[in-house]
Amino acid sequence: MTRISNAKIAILATDGFEEVELTEPLGKLQAAGADVHVISNKSGTIRGWDQDHWNREIKVDKQLSEIRVTDYDALVLPGGQINPDVLRADPKVVSFVREFFNSKKPLAAICHAPWLLIEADVVRGRDVTSYKSIRTDIVNAGGNWLDQEVVCHEALITSRNPGDLPAFIDKIIEEVEEGRHQDRKVA
Amino acid sequence: MTRISNAKIAILATDGFEEVELTEPLGKLQAAGADVHVISNKSGTIRGWDQDHWNREIKVDKQLSEIRVTDYDALVLPGGQINPDVLRADPKVVSFVREFFNSKKPLAAICHAPWLLIEADVVRGRDVTSYKSIRTDIVNAGGNWLDQEVVCHEALITSRNPGDLPAFIDKIIEEVEEGRHQDRKVA
């Protein structure tokens, strides 16, 4: 059994992530004892977005090309309008998300990040939520969209917006400690 | 027959429109003699986005609540990552886009603006293009996505990105002069 205090967690983002959706999971998962890495498809730093303006630069710990799915116990995808729209256009990012999903380990996406789940085609037939503006995209991708602070379907964890962060982070910790979800069907 | 020199054209946007996707159609359609209004769901001014930063403020000529579909010969929807994501969450905007589509008059959307066409459920069974990142959303909404600088299906005009603006604007002028597309099927 994995304890959160010895778990390794990847947070994958690029410029334009909604800042608090990266910094809060990062801080709280670290405080719980996890080893958390900020991963990006670019090197150096990535720029946070705070509601309507560019904000902090966050250090990238590793580039996507340096890591493997087997290195981590869970993958967290922050939102923002810009970050997931950029990431979904990168085939290597989409492949990584799909491969992580297929590993049956906890995969968590908040706000606009479920666009990456759509791009990886992993919402079909599953209960999910997202920021309200992309509900139609989720439904058109075959997802069963629910208006709840956190939705967890076979360790696929989704939340709507920054206000849901406490529930989102609690569910990530719970699912990491439960481990792989053996019932998750993969393509 | 409508000439572009006596046409009335609405450009609908809010904060975060990709600036050149509003200002170029505005300037070139005005230069061709059209009466062009910037419409928004907010009053005062709206803020343009230039690739990676906030840029010019543009004056709103009329609020959406002040206009009717019958007032205009064509509707143009600029893109940007932020503007259409905000507009699609406003039911009055989505209703207006759907009603405009149903009027069979030219409806033009560029870059990320086809999200509004998805929200209005008017891409199903039609040839369309868009910014590359939202191709999957278009396909999931039933659209036939084509990688062309401009796609026109029964006066539904779409383009991919700012580089396509000349072809996009030329096609708007051409379709305005052709008038209503009688073959367009409506829900």
Side-chain angles (χ1 to χ4, degrees), chain A residues 47 49 52-54 81-82 85-86 88-89 112 115 118-119 124 132-134 136-137 140-141, chain B residues 47 49 52-54 81-82 85-86 88-89 112 115 118-119 124 132-134 136-137 140-141:
Chain A
R47 286 194 292 178
W49 181 260
D52 62 1
H53 60 276
W54 291 112
Q81 289 161 310
I82 296 171
D85 184 67
V86 173
R88 71 187 300 198
H112 292 78
W115 271 330
I118 290 172
E119 206 61 42
R124 203 169 299 280
K132 61 184 178 180
S133 66
I134 71 168
T136 300
D137 298 333
N140 286 341
Chain B
R47 286 195 291 178
W49 181 261
D52 61 1
H53 60 276
W54 292 112
Q81 289 161 309
I82 296 171
D85 184 67
V86 173
R88 71 188 300 199
H112 292 77
W115 271 330
I118 290 172
E119 207 61 42
R124 203 168 299 280
K132 62 184 179 180
S133 66
I134 71 168
T136 299
D137 298 334
N140 286 340

Side-chain angles (χ1 to χ4, degrees), chain B residues 35-119:
Chain B
D35 188 12
V36 188
H37 293 166
V38 174
I39 311 296
S40 186
N41 57 349
K42 57 173 285 197
S43 60
T45 60
I46 52 177
R47 286 195 291 178
W49 181 261
D50 182 10
Q51 296 180 69
D52 61 1
H53 60 276
W54 292 112
N55 209 45
R56 284 174 60 191
E57 298 267 347
I58 300 284
K59 183 176 164 290
V60 173
D61 295 308
K62 287 177 187 281
Q63 283 191 258
L64 186 61
S65 56
E66 299 176 87
I67 67 161
R68 292 174 305 176
V69 165
T70 51
D71 296 339
Y72 295 95
D73 299 302
L75 174 63
V76 180
L77 304 171
Q81 289 161 309
I82 296 171
N83 154 61
D85 184 67
V86 173
L87 289 182
R88 71 188 300 199
D90 182 335
K92 288 178 182 168
V93 169
V94 177
S95 294
F96 185 82
V97 171
R98 189 182 296 113
E99 196 188 335
F100 209 95
F101 179 84
N102 289 346
S103 77
K104 307 188 179 190
K105 291 183 284 195
L107 170 53
I110 186 165
C111 199
H112 292 77
W115 271 330
L116 278 163
L117 306 180
I118 290 172
E119 207 61 42

Side-chain angles (χ1 to χ4, degrees), chain A residues 12-14 40-41 82-91 93-94 116:
Chain A
L12 175 60
T14 194
S40 186
N41 56 349
I82 296 171
N83 155 59
D85 184 67
V86 173
L87 288 182
R88 71 187 300 198
D90 182 335
V93 169
V94 176
L116 278 164

Side-chain angles (χ1 to χ4, degrees), chain A residues 11-19 22 38-49 54 56-60 62-64 76-90 93 113 116, chain B residues 81:
Chain A
I11 301 181
L12 175 60
T14 194
D15 293 325
F17 59 90
E18 188 65 39
E19 189 168 298
L22 187 152
V38 174
I39 310 297
S40 186
N41 56 349
K42 56 173 285 197
S43 60
T45 60
I46 52 177
R47 286 194 292 178
W49 181 260
W54 291 112
R56 283 174 60 190
E57 298 266 346
I58 300 283
K59 183 176 164 291
V60 172
K62 286 176 188 280
Q63 283 190 259
L64 186 62
V76 179
L77 304 170
Q81 289 161 310
I82 296 171
N83 155 59
D85 184 67
V86 173
L87 288 182
R88 71 187 300 198
D90 182 335
V93 169
L116 278 164
Chain B
Q81 289 161 309

Side-chain angles (χ1 to χ4, degrees), chain A residues 95-110:
Chain A
S95 293
F96 185 81
V97 171
R98 188 182 296 113
E99 195 188 337
F100 209 94
F101 179 85
N102 289 347
S103 78
K104 307 188 178 189
K105 292 183 283 194
L107 171 54
I110 187 166

